[in-house]
Amino acid sequence: MYIRYQSSVPNHRAIYPRVFGLANVLAHKGQLSDAEWVTWRSGNDWFNAAYPDPTKSIPDIYDPQVNPRAAAWFKGTATHLLERVEPYLELLKRHDVQVVRLISDDPGKIIYEDSVQIVVVPYGAST
């Protein structure tokens, strides 16, 4: 089982940003309170240290020409990561950013995998 938290609507590039990207937009636009900024920053620092960045081993993994609509999904067994998503969900809810939780046994063609996540290209995706 794989789990993904993402925007309920696509962005201007027809991509459904993941929960981290949504929170990053709020932070970079200066829309977070001081307390929210601390929560966001410490959360990002923790996640950055907690698991591998797929772009370190495959730099163009999210390039839309190479892997259209590539998206990362948590493995259901990565409970230590999934438990730490809640503060992001709460932050986004306070800012009226709609997030959906997706669950799938087969979200697409796997183009990257490690112990806690996969990156897939959804079936039927094209440039």
Side-chain angles (χ1 to χ4, degrees), residues 50-72:
Y51 67 98
D53 176 353
T55 64
K56 299 292 184 200
S57 58
I58 307 173
D60 62 355
I61 195 164
Y62 293 112
D63 181 323
Q65 300 303 314
V66 177
N67 294 309
R69 297 184 14 228

Side-chain angles (χ1 to χ4, degrees), residues 20-41:
F20 305 114
L22 295 169
N24 291 350
V25 167
L26 293 175
H28 295 301
K29 287 184 174 181
Q31 296 178 344
L32 301 181
S33 69
D34 291 345
E36 289 173 331
W37 192 91
V38 168
T39 299
W40 163 78
R41 182 71 265 153

Side-chain angles (χ1 to χ4, degrees), residues 69-92:
R69 297 184 14 228
W73 291 67
F74 289 114
K75 290 183 175 181
T77 55
T79 55
H80 66 293
L81 299 177
L82 291 164
E83 292 167 352
R84 305 269 313 228
V85 171
E86 189 61 35
Y88 288 89
L89 299 176
E90 292 170 5
L91 180 143
L92 293 168

